[in-house]
Amino acid sequence: MDRVPALEEPLKKLLGGPTAKVMAEHLDLHTVGDLLHHYPRRYEERGQLTKLAELPLDEDVTVVAQVADARVHTFNGGRGQRLEITITDGSGRLQLVFFGRGIHKPHKELLPGSRAMFAGKVSMFNRRMQLAHPTYAKLGADAAEGDDTADIDSWAGALIPIYPACKGLESWKIAKAVDAVLPSAQEAVDPLPESLREGRGFVPLPEALLKVHRPHTKADIEDARQRLKWDEAFVLQVALARRRHADGQLPAVARRPAPGGLLDAFDAKLPFTLTEGQEKVSAEIFDDLATEHPMHRLLQGEVGSGKTMVALRAMLAVVDSGGQAAMLAPTEVLAQQHHRSITEMMGELAEGGLLGGSEQGTKVVLLTGSMGMPARRQALLDLVTGEAGLVIGTHALIEDKVQFHDLGLVVVDEQHRFGVEQRDALRGKGKQPPHLLVMTATPIPRTVAMTVFGDLETSVLDQLPAGRSPIASHVVPAQDKPHFLARAWERVREEVDKGHQAYVVCPRIGDGEEEAKTAKGKKKAEEAETADKRPPLAVIETAGQLAKGPLQGLRVEILHGRMQPDDKDAVMRRFGAGEVDVLVATTVIEVGVNVPNATAMVIMDADRFGVSQLHQLRGRVGRGSAPGLCLLVTDMPEASPARARLNAVAGTLDGFELSRIDLEQRREGDVLGQAQSGVRSSLRMLTVIDDEEVIAAAREEAVTVVAADPELDRLPGLRTALDALLDKDREQYLDKG
C-alpha cells in the first residue's frame, strides 16, 4: 500500500529540492505518503549502544557509540594529516578515519567520552574494520548549543528509529524529514473495513504510522507492525481476489474429452502407469476444463515430477473436444525440446492428416521466432485452419499475425519468465477466453504461492515417477582442496566409461560479443569485486581446457544461448542420441531438457547461482534408471554464506525446503519487487515466509469482502489503497514469480 491520495503532496514542497532529489533517486520516495511508508529498519534504545562486533562489511550502517580516543598522525614528511578516532560500545571497537582538512571539525568535537551517532560504509583496512569520513551527530548533553543536530535527542525519545538510508542521506536526516511530514499522517485514509479493524483489534492507520515512526515503548512498535503488515497483506489479497472474481465471471467453452478419442488412444499406448499425484492433479484439471468459466490453475512440482505429461493430457483432452491447445515456453531450446518429446510420446497420434498417421491423431506444430519463412507460413496456416491441434512455441505465439481456429487451452511453462501481459495476450487469441494452465518447476512455499500467484488455483505434484533415480550432491571446495576437483573430473570419466554422459555448467559464455558488452561495466565491477575474486568461468574457455586436459579423448561440445537456433538444436540432438560425452553449457539447460542417459553434472562457480537455480540444474540428471551425481564446485571459503547455501542444496532434494531457504536468504523485495516486475516491492513490513498466518487470514477476509462487494463501492478507503497499489507502474504487479 504505497500511496494515499490525501498524502500525494510532493516531498519537494516540504523538504526542499536537494533532499527530495536524493530521496527520489536513491530511495524511490516522491510523496509524503511514500515517506510515511518508509519504515524504520530497527530501533536503538537510547543509552544502549549498537553492537560494533556485528557490523557487516561493505554496508552503510548507523551506529551509536562513545569516543574512546583520538589521535592525529602525519605522513608524507609531515605534509599529510590523518585523524584516527576509536569508538566503542562495550561489545567491540571501530576505527574512524578522517584526512586532510576534514580532520579539524571532528578533532575539535569528538572528544574522548562524548557520544554520537555515526553513519558510513564499513570497509576493511590493514585487517581492521573502519568508517572513512563518516558523518556524525552528537547526542544528548554533548550536542553543541545551536548545532543543527542538537535536537536529535528530542526526536529520539526512548527509542531511536534507524531508517534504511543511502549515501548523502543518513538515518537521522531521514528521521528529521519524517518529523516534517508526520502531522500529515492524520489524513491517511484507512483501507481496512471498520468491522475488520475492530474485530481484529487493530489501531487506526494514523495511529499506526505515528507509533512506527515515533514509538515510546516496544509495545507501540508491535501495535504498529501488526497493523501495517495486515494492510499490506490485505490490500494485495483483495487485488488478487478481485482478479480471480473477474476471471470467474468470464464465459468459456467447456472442454470434455471424447470417449474413445485422442486422449484414450494416447493413454492406451503409454508404456508406464501415471503416479497417484499425476492422476489426482489430472482429475482437478479435467474438472476445471469441464466448466463454463476459464480455468486458472498453477501446476507446480518437483523437478522431474512429470508436469509435462499432465499438461499434455490436458491439451489432448481439449483437442478431443474440438479445440486447440498452445504451450508457451520461455526459450527456443525448451520449445524445441518440448516439441520433440511430445511428438515422440504421441508417435503416430502426432501425425494427424499425414500418410501413416492415426485417424484419431492431430498435427503438432512448432512456432519460434527464428524459423525459416516456409516452415513458419505452413505452421501459421495449420493453426488458422485448425489442422494443428497442438502448437508449442516461444513468444512468437503472441504476435498479432498468429491466429487460431479455436484456441481452448493455453499452457505457460516456467511462469516466472512470463508476465501477466503475455499471458493475457495469448489468452486474447481465443474466440472466448481459453482455459489457462501455468506450470512452474521452481517449487514455491505455500505463502509465496498465495501472495504471488493468488489469482490462480494451485495443484502440487510432489511425487517422482517410478524409475527415477536418486541424485547424490556434493560440494567440491576447489580452493581449499584442489585434489577434490581432480577427483570430480575422474568421476565424470568413470560415468562416461559406463556408457553415460555428463553436463558441465558455467555462469558465462565467454565469446567476444559478450566480452565487448561487459567491457563498459568492467571497471565498476572490478572495483566492486573484492581483490581476490576472479571473473566467473566461461563455457568456451572451460570446454577448451577440459578437452585438452582432464577430459582429453572424450567428445566435448558446447551449448549456449547465443548460438544459432539450428546449431543449438543439432547439439541437443547429438547429445540426446549419445554422440556427445560431455556438454559444457550455460543455464540454457536449466529447465525441461530431458536426456535420461546423462548421469553426472559439474556446476562450476556454483556459488554464483541461486538456490532454486541449482536445484533446477541438478534436476537434469538422474532422469533414467542410473543414479545421478551433482558436484557443486566453488572457491568460496568454508565459513562463507555462499558455502552455507551450497551445503543446503547438497543436503536436501526437497525443492520446497530449498525454496524456503532461498527466500530467507534473499531480500524480501526480490520476491515481490524489482527483480520480478521492474517496480518497487509493495511490501515494506510483511515478510512472506514469516507472516504465513497473516497472509492466510488476509486472504480469507479478502475473499469475503470481494464476494460481498466486488467493486468495493461501500469501501472507498480500500478502493483508494488499491488504486495506489495498482498505479500505472504497477499494472503488471502480478508479473512475478
Side-chain angles (χ1 to χ4, degrees), residues 148-149 151 155 171-181 214:
D148 68 341
T149 59
D151 58 350
W155 64 250
S171 172
W172 58 81
K173 287 186 182 166
I174 294 172
K176 290 185 80 170
V178 168
D179 274 344
V181 302
R214 297 295 170 262

Side-chain angles (χ1 to χ4, degrees), residues 477-676:
Q479 195 82 8
D480 307 351
K481 298 176 180 170
H483 59 287
F484 275 36
L485 183 58
R487 176 71 189 121
W489 301 127
E490 283 173 20
R491 283 293 289 112
V492 169
R493 278 191 170 282
E494 286 164 16
E495 289 302 308
V496 174
D497 288 345
K498 289 181 202 163
H500 298 305
Q501 293 157 279
Y503 297 100
V504 176
V505 180
C506 300
R508 210 160 52 94
I509 298 172
D511 62 353
E513 195 178 329
E514 183 194 43
E515 308 309 310
K517 260 190 179 175
T518 53
K520 279 185 188 170
K522 205 169 183 186
K523 192 163 181 271
K524 274 189 183 172
E526 278 167 5
E527 287 164 9
E529 294 276 8
T530 49
D532 56 356
K533 214 172 183 192
R534 53 163 176 72
L537 292 171
V539 166
I540 294 169
E541 285 92 341
T542 303
Q545 288 160 5
L546 291 174
K548 288 185 196 132
L551 302 184
Q552 197 170 7
L554 303 187
R555 296 168 297 176
V556 177
E557 291 208 23
I558 63 171
L559 179 72
H560 59 75
R562 215 172 281 125
M563 288 164 61
Q564 288 301 314
D566 290 352
D567 296 343
K568 280 192 275 198
D569 200 36
V571 171
M572 277 315 298
R573 278 179 193 279
R574 286 200 295 278
F575 190 64
E579 294 161 19
V580 175
D581 298 320
V582 179
L583 186 63
V584 184
T586 56
T587 54
V588 291
I589 59 150
E590 181 186 347
V591 285
V593 172
N594 184 26
V595 180
N597 191 44
T599 54
M601 175 174 285
V602 182
I603 302 178
M604 308 303 292
D605 284 341
D607 48 277
R608 296 183 188 250
F609 299 97
V611 169
S612 297
Q613 201 172 25
L614 290 169
H615 183 58
Q616 284 287 349
L617 287 165
R618 169 171 64 185
R620 301 304 110 213
V621 295
R623 299 177 81 85
S625 52
L629 172 70
C630 179
L631 301 174
L632 306 166
V633 179
T634 179
D635 283 350
M636 289 289 120
E638 196 164 354
S640 62
R643 276 285 280 281
R645 261 197 1 253
L646 296 180
N647 290 338
V649 175
T652 178
L653 290 171
D654 182 341
F656 286 92
E657 177 57 30
L658 284 175
S659 65
R660 222 181 155 86
I661 292 168
D662 194 18
L663 196 57
E664 282 163 359
Q665 292 185 341
R666 282 164 30 193
R667 287 198 335 279
E668 197 66 47
D670 289 348
V671 181
L672 292 162
Q674 205 135 7
Q676 270 69 22

Side-chain angles (χ1 to χ4, degrees), residues 274-289 295 297-301 305-311 313-314 437-439 457-463:
L274 298 175
T275 65
E276 246 176 78
Q278 285 175 316
E279 293 276 16
K280 179 178 149 286
V281 170
S282 288
E284 290 171 353
I285 291 170
F286 290 148
D287 286 349
D288 282 359
L289 289 174
M295 164 173 81
R297 190 165 282 281
L298 171 70
L299 171 57
Q300 58 163 327
S305 56
K307 291 181 297 297
T308 310
M309 173 59 71
V310 169
R313 293 183 72 245
L437 180 65
V438 168
M439 298 199 295
E457 297 300 324
T458 306
S459 293
V460 177
L461 271 177
D462 49 12
Q463 203 182 357

